[in-house]
Amino acid sequence: RSAASAEAILGPYEGTIVCDGYTAYGALAKRRANAREGPAPPRLAHCWAHVRRKFIEAEPNDERATKIRSLIDDLFVVEAEARATGNGDLRARRAELRGERSRGIADEIRRMLLAEKVLPRSAIGRAVLYTDHLWTGLCRFLEDPDIPIDNNGAERALRGIAIGRKNHYGLPPVS
């Protein structure tokens, strides 16, 4: 779980990585940016579902979290609408709706984040700081309709491996 591990997994890949706030990806991008040779640094596109979870954790203690989470939900509604009305050209529909609606929603989220005075160690403070730290990567989906808003599909694909490992842990090897 380090930049070296991320490097080993990604190899020479130079594209966009949709990820959570796991620091190894940022460290990898920084290491590659400072290197004189080798692959270009990956572009990090951060996952709105992970950010949303941070605000859900804060909701029981702070109504501001509910307002921001609701705006994040609106981003997902726009994505669902793009899928439902894409008429075979999902990429073009995503680009259109993201420009018309998602950008404004993201701007409102940013305005609210900057306006909030929070205690850094509170649940809302952690959610706001996490979101602020990842902001550039969170907005990458607005620039490129091929970038998904979250990495839930990849996480679902890996879930079976994690559950299998958990369920089979401690069983004697098959001989």
Side-chain angles (χ1 to χ4, degrees):
R1 295 196 45 93
S2 66
S5 296
E7 182 81 57
I9 291 168
L10 295 172
Y13 180 73
E14 296 181 343
T16 301
I17 301 170
V18 182
C19 58
D20 60 6
Y22 178 49
T23 58
Y25 298 115
L28 171 64
K30 194 176 289 186
R31 180 191 299 174
R32 285 188 181 177
N34 293 330
R36 295 179 192 263
E37 295 180 11
R43 284 180 23 148
L44 301 181
H46 293 291
C47 173
W48 277 99
H50 282 86
V51 168
R52 183 178 182 276
R53 287 181 208 137
K54 298 289 185 189
F55 286 98
I56 289 172
E57 290 170 12
E59 280 186 288
N61 304 313
D62 199 309
E63 65 185 40
R64 297 174 295 181
T66 302
K67 292 176 185 173
I68 295 172
R69 194 254 323 132
S70 178
L71 287 169
I72 295 169
D73 289 348
D74 291 345
L75 290 174
F76 283 93
V77 168
V78 172
E79 294 296 303
E81 185 178 327
R83 285 190 302 276
T85 62
N87 296 330
D89 194 356
L90 176 59
R91 188 175 195 283
R93 186 65 174 150
R94 263 190 191 154
E96 176 187 358
L97 288 177
R98 286 177 178 181
E100 289 175 1
R101 298 191 11 224
S102 296
R103 185 167 304 281
I105 296 167
D107 290 345
E108 178 64 12
I109 292 169
R110 184 68 172 165
R111 187 196 62 73
M112 290 181 73
L113 292 174
L114 294 174
E116 297 302 328
K117 302 291 185 226
V118 295
L119 296 171
R121 292 188 182 192
S122 66
I124 186 75
R126 287 191 306 271
V128 167
L129 292 173
Y130 180 81
T131 307
D132 185 56
H133 177 71
L134 302 179
W135 190 255
T136 301
L138 286 168
C139 291
R140 287 253 156 79
F141 85 104
L142 297 170
E143 304 163 7
D144 183 346
D146 291 328
I147 296 175
I149 192 171
D150 61 39
N151 65 350
N152 286 345
E155 289 199 359
R156 274 191 298 275
L158 294 172
R159 183 178 163 98
I161 295 167
I163 289 174
R165 183 175 44 235
K166 179 180 175 187
N167 288 342
H168 301 294
Y169 179 75
L171 294 177
V174 177
S175 48

Tab-separated table of all heavy atoms in Angstrom, residues 55-77:
chain	number	residue	atom	x	y	z
A	55	PHE	N	-19.641	12.688	3.651
A	55	PHE	CA	-20.719	13.574	4.093
A	55	PHE	C	-21.850	12.783	4.753
A	55	PHE	O	-22.483	13.271	5.687
A	55	PHE	CB	-21.212	14.456	2.939
A	55	PHE	CG	-20.228	15.538	2.621
A	55	PHE	CD1	-19.334	15.406	1.577
A	55	PHE	CD2	-20.159	16.679	3.410
A	55	PHE	CE1	-18.394	16.393	1.310
A	55	PHE	CE2	-19.232	17.680	3.157
A	55	PHE	CZ	-18.344	17.528	2.106
A	56	ILE	N	-22.093	11.558	4.315
A	56	ILE	CA	-23.085	10.711	4.979
A	56	ILE	C	-22.650	10.452	6.421
A	56	ILE	O	-23.474	10.486	7.343
A	56	ILE	CB	-23.297	9.398	4.195
A	56	ILE	CG1	-24.049	9.687	2.899
A	56	ILE	CG2	-24.043	8.366	5.040
A	56	ILE	CD1	-24.149	8.499	1.957
A	57	GLU	N	-21.366	10.202	6.636
A	57	GLU	CA	-20.849	9.992	7.991
A	57	GLU	C	-21.067	11.221	8.866
A	57	GLU	O	-21.278	11.098	10.073
A	57	GLU	CB	-19.355	9.666	7.947
A	57	GLU	CG	-19.020	8.316	7.367
A	57	GLU	CD	-17.530	8.119	7.111
A	57	GLU	OE1	-16.710	8.938	7.586
A	57	GLU	OE2	-17.191	7.137	6.429
A	58	ALA	N	-21.041	12.404	8.262
A	58	ALA	CA	-21.188	13.650	9.019
A	58	ALA	C	-22.646	14.059	9.227
A	58	ALA	O	-22.930	14.895	10.090
A	58	ALA	CB	-20.429	14.773	8.305
A	59	GLU	N	-23.570	13.488	8.467
A	59	GLU	CA	-24.969	13.925	8.527
A	59	GLU	C	-25.612	13.846	9.916
A	59	GLU	O	-26.362	14.760	10.283
A	59	GLU	CB	-25.818	13.152	7.515
A	59	GLU	CG	-25.690	13.701	6.119
A	59	GLU	CD	-26.633	13.044	5.139
A	59	GLU	OE1	-26.403	11.870	4.786
A	59	GLU	OE2	-27.600	13.714	4.746
A	60	PRO	N	-25.374	12.815	10.705
A	60	PRO	CA	-26.041	12.777	12.011
A	60	PRO	C	-25.683	13.957	12.925
A	60	PRO	O	-26.438	14.283	13.826
A	60	PRO	CB	-25.559	11.456	12.629
A	60	PRO	CG	-25.136	10.621	11.480
A	60	PRO	CD	-24.625	11.586	10.453
A	61	ASN	N	-24.550	14.587	12.668
A	61	ASN	CA	-24.072	15.648	13.549
A	61	ASN	C	-24.161	17.050	12.967
A	61	ASN	O	-23.940	18.013	13.688
A	61	ASN	CB	-22.611	15.376	13.929
A	61	ASN	CG	-22.433	14.013	14.559
A	61	ASN	OD1	-23.193	13.641	15.438
A	61	ASN	ND2	-21.463	13.263	14.084
A	62	ASP	N	-24.446	17.157	11.674
A	62	ASP	CA	-24.383	18.488	11.066
A	62	ASP	C	-25.258	18.543	9.819
A	62	ASP	O	-25.024	17.813	8.862
A	62	ASP	CB	-22.928	18.806	10.695
A	62	ASP	CG	-22.680	20.272	10.484
A	62	ASP	OD1	-23.438	20.907	9.719
A	62	ASP	OD2	-21.715	20.796	11.070
A	63	GLU	N	-26.253	19.430	9.837
A	63	GLU	CA	-27.179	19.520	8.698
A	63	GLU	C	-26.501	20.056	7.440
A	63	GLU	O	-26.997	19.843	6.334
A	63	GLU	CB	-28.385	20.375	9.057
A	63	GLU	CG	-28.067	21.821	9.330
A	63	GLU	CD	-29.274	22.611	9.798
A	63	GLU	OE1	-30.067	22.093	10.591
A	63	GLU	OE2	-29.416	23.747	9.331
A	64	ARG	N	-25.367	20.732	7.579
A	64	ARG	CA	-24.651	21.206	6.389
A	64	ARG	C	-24.197	20.031	5.533
A	64	ARG	O	-24.156	20.120	4.303
A	64	ARG	CB	-23.447	22.070	6.793
A	64	ARG	CG	-23.851	23.345	7.527
A	64	ARG	CD	-22.656	24.085	8.040
A	64	ARG	NE	-21.962	23.302	9.076
A	64	ARG	CZ	-20.881	23.714	9.729
A	64	ARG	NH1	-20.360	24.899	9.467
A	64	ARG	NH2	-20.324	22.963	10.642
A	65	ALA	N	-23.876	18.920	6.184
A	65	ALA	CA	-23.457	17.725	5.450
A	65	ALA	C	-24.588	17.220	4.553
A	65	ALA	O	-24.344	16.774	3.434
A	65	ALA	CB	-23.024	16.633	6.422
A	66	THR	N	-25.817	17.316	5.031
A	66	THR	CA	-26.974	16.875	4.247
A	66	THR	C	-27.129	17.730	2.997
A	66	THR	O	-27.419	17.214	1.914
A	66	THR	CB	-28.255	16.932	5.098
A	66	THR	OG1	-28.055	16.107	6.256
A	66	THR	CG2	-29.457	16.452	4.321
A	67	LYS	N	-26.921	19.026	3.129
A	67	LYS	CA	-27.053	19.925	1.974
A	67	LYS	C	-25.998	19.603	0.915
A	67	LYS	O	-26.311	19.545	-0.280
A	67	LYS	CB	-26.917	21.371	2.429
A	67	LYS	CG	-28.075	21.838	3.279
A	67	LYS	CD	-27.844	23.249	3.785
A	67	LYS	CE	-28.948	23.668	4.749
A	67	LYS	NZ	-28.678	24.952	5.380
A	68	ILE	N	-24.772	19.384	1.348
A	68	ILE	CA	-23.703	19.075	0.386
A	68	ILE	C	-23.920	17.688	-0.214
A	68	ILE	O	-23.785	17.503	-1.421
A	68	ILE	CB	-22.316	19.216	1.041
A	68	ILE	CG1	-22.078	20.681	1.418
A	68	ILE	CG2	-21.220	18.701	0.105
A	68	ILE	CD1	-20.829	20.923	2.248
A	69	ARG	N	-24.319	16.717	0.616
A	69	ARG	CA	-24.579	15.370	0.105
A	69	ARG	C	-25.701	15.404	-0.920
A	69	ARG	O	-25.652	14.719	-1.945
A	69	ARG	CB	-24.916	14.413	1.253
A	69	ARG	CG	-24.876	12.948	0.852
A	69	ARG	CD	-26.204	12.260	0.709
A	69	ARG	NE	-27.191	12.662	1.680
A	69	ARG	CZ	-28.432	12.994	1.319
A	69	ARG	NH1	-28.819	12.980	0.066
A	69	ARG	NH2	-29.322	13.342	2.225
A	70	SER	N	-26.700	16.229	-0.695
A	70	SER	CA	-27.811	16.360	-1.642
A	70	SER	C	-27.322	16.893	-2.994
A	70	SER	O	-27.764	16.424	-4.051
A	70	SER	CB	-28.887	17.275	-1.058
A	70	SER	OG	-29.933	17.438	-1.968
A	71	LEU	N	-26.416	17.841	-2.966
A	71	LEU	CA	-25.848	18.352	-4.220
A	71	LEU	C	-25.034	17.268	-4.932
A	71	LEU	O	-25.084	17.154	-6.164
A	71	LEU	CB	-24.980	19.580	-3.948
A	71	LEU	CG	-25.749	20.854	-3.606
A	71	LEU	CD1	-24.795	21.930	-3.083
A	71	LEU	CD2	-26.523	21.358	-4.811
A	72	ILE	N	-24.307	16.480	-4.161
A	72	ILE	CA	-23.550	15.371	-4.763
A	72	ILE	C	-24.524	14.384	-5.400
A	72	ILE	O	-24.293	13.893	-6.511
A	72	ILE	CB	-22.639	14.691	-3.722
A	72	ILE	CG1	-21.552	15.667	-3.251
A	72	ILE	CG2	-22.021	13.411	-4.293
A	72	ILE	CD1	-20.765	15.205	-2.047
A	73	ASP	N	-25.636	14.113	-4.706
A	73	ASP	CA	-26.665	13.247	-5.291
A	73	ASP	C	-27.154	13.801	-6.627
A	73	ASP	O	-27.423	13.047	-7.565
A	73	ASP	CB	-27.849	13.090	-4.335
A	73	ASP	CG	-27.526	12.235	-3.121
A	73	ASP	OD1	-26.470	11.567	-3.099
A	73	ASP	OD2	-28.353	12.239	-2.181
A	74	ASP	N	-27.277	15.126	-6.713
A	74	ASP	CA	-27.705	15.750	-7.972
A	74	ASP	C	-26.723	15.458	-9.105
A	74	ASP	O	-27.141	15.291	-10.257
A	74	ASP	CB	-27.861	17.260	-7.795
A	74	ASP	CG	-29.043	17.638	-6.904
A	74	ASP	OD1	-29.910	16.771	-6.642
A	74	ASP	OD2	-29.083	18.809	-6.463
A	75	LEU	N	-25.422	15.378	-8.797
A	75	LEU	CA	-24.436	15.016	-9.823
A	75	LEU	C	-24.727	13.609	-10.358
A	75	LEU	O	-24.661	13.368	-11.567
A	75	LEU	CB	-23.013	15.068	-9.263
A	75	LEU	CG	-22.448	16.432	-8.930
A	75	LEU	CD1	-21.091	16.287	-8.244
A	75	LEU	CD2	-22.331	17.300	-10.173
A	76	PHE	N	-25.062	12.700	-9.462
A	76	PHE	CA	-25.366	11.328	-9.875
A	76	PHE	C	-26.672	11.260	-10.667
A	76	PHE	O	-26.809	10.441	-11.576
A	76	PHE	CB	-25.397	10.397	-8.659
A	76	PHE	CG	-24.024	10.038	-8.169
A	76	PHE	CD1	-23.417	10.769	-7.166
A	76	PHE	CD2	-23.325	8.980	-8.729
A	76	PHE	CE1	-22.146	10.456	-6.717
A	76	PHE	CE2	-22.049	8.658	-8.298
A	76	PHE	CZ	-21.453	9.397	-7.288
A	77	VAL	N	-27.634	12.121	-10.342
A	77	VAL	CA	-28.887	12.185	-11.106
A	77	VAL	C	-28.600	12.603	-12.546
A	77	VAL	O	-29.151	12.039	-13.500
A	77	VAL	CB	-29.901	13.144	-10.426
A	77	VAL	CG1	-31.071	13.458	-11.349
A	77	VAL	CG2	-30.389	12.549	-9.116
